[in-house]
Amino acid sequence: MAVATLVRIENAGPDRRARRLHIDDGDDPIVTSAAVVRVLSLEVGDQVERDGLVEDLLRIGRECARDRVLRLLGYRDRTISELNKRLRDDGYADEIADGLVARFVELGYLDDEMFAQRWTAARRQAGFGPSRIERELRTKGIAQELARSAAYTSDDEELLASARSLISRIDLSDAAARKRAFAKLIRKGYSPTIAGRAIGSGGAEE
């Protein structure tokens, strides 16, 4: 087994939680998590053997990644896509990320349908309309069909009541204010029809 020297440890990843390990054996750098580097106490100048190091990184990586998943899920619900991306951004190997995500899905801690329902309920309570909610779910990695079915569960009368509540403090007797109210409802994710009915214009901006 050829022994080489760890010559450089670089920060990597979008939030610098990953590490890129450069070894003077002529092969490509190895990417891992900063947490794994800390646990293994890796430092520049260490004498390492690549295959043995890769095994250690995977072994410790599984433990660190599991702890990371538990912390992330402890903060708030996550989608499958969000958690998968976070683990990869942190520097964990694909096999670690895929295995953990599959396991937490199996255990019921990751459920995109439940996430979509909870997100929709919270955003609807905050006054957002279905098209805005659908876009938000899509940015979190929820599949298009699931995002749409979750976001568009309210009937028109429920949406109308929510839209009217959102602009209840606006003086709709003023034409300029009516235009601002209409624009606000569109930004919040309500359809032009609902926005128009909410301000009393019969489905279209005056």
Side-chain angles (χ1 to χ4, degrees):
M1 294 186 295
V3 176
T5 302
L6 179 57
V7 295
R8 190 163 75 255
I9 301 175
E10 293 179 335
N11 294 334
D15 54 4
R16 303 170 71 84
R17 298 183 64 93
R19 296 293 182 269
R20 189 177 292 111
L21 310 180
H22 295 263
I23 304 171
D24 66 351
D25 60 358
D27 286 343
D28 293 336
I30 303 171
V31 176
T32 188
S33 169
V36 175
V37 171
R38 287 195 299 272
V39 171
L40 291 174
S41 300
L42 293 174
E43 297 180 352
V44 171
D46 286 350
Q47 299 298 296
V48 298
E49 187 275 317
R50 178 176 284 266
D51 289 343
L53 176 61
V54 169
E55 290 180 4
D56 288 342
L57 295 175
L58 288 173
R59 175 174 54 85
I60 300 300
R62 290 186 180 92
E63 298 174 6
C64 292
R66 183 179 182 278
D67 290 343
R68 178 72 167 141
V69 169
L70 291 173
R71 287 195 300 273
L72 288 170
L73 293 179
Y75 296 145
R76 65 168 177 82
D77 289 342
R78 310 273 171 171
T79 66
I80 293 172
S81 176
E82 280 183 311
L83 191 59
N84 220 322
K85 182 178 185 302
R86 181 61 68 92
L87 290 174
R88 283 170 165 77
D89 286 348
D90 284 358
Y92 293 106
D94 290 350
E95 64 181 278
I96 291 177
D98 290 341
L100 273 175
V101 167
R103 180 57 175 159
F104 276 81
V105 168
E106 180 183 352
L107 292 172
Y109 292 108
L110 279 175
D111 186 326
D112 278 1
E113 183 174 358
M114 184 175 295
F115 179 96
Q117 292 171 354
R118 290 175 175 172
W119 184 269
T120 297
R123 299 303 275 168
R124 188 176 294 149
Q125 184 70 25
F128 291 95
S131 66
R132 171 73 175 266
I133 294 170
E134 181 186 6
R135 289 197 302 272
E136 291 176 346
L137 288 172
R138 295 287 288 132
T139 65
K140 292 183 175 298
I142 298 295
Q144 182 174 0
E145 183 176 347
L146 177 56
R148 174 162 285 272
S149 65
Y152 285 86
T153 52
S154 295
D155 61 33
D156 283 357
E157 293 308 311
E158 289 177 314
L159 292 174
L160 183 58
S162 179
R164 283 173 172 161
S165 176
L166 199 62
I167 59 173
S168 60
R169 297 185 179 182
I170 298 177
D171 180 9
L172 298 180
S173 64
D174 177 73
R178 290 165 69 85
K179 290 182 178 180
R180 289 196 299 271
F182 186 91
K184 178 179 181 177
L185 290 173
I186 297 300
R187 288 196 305 272
K188 287 284 188 175
Y190 294 90
S191 70
T193 298
I194 293 296
R197 289 179 64 191
I199 64 174
S201 61
E205 182 184 9
E206 291 185 341

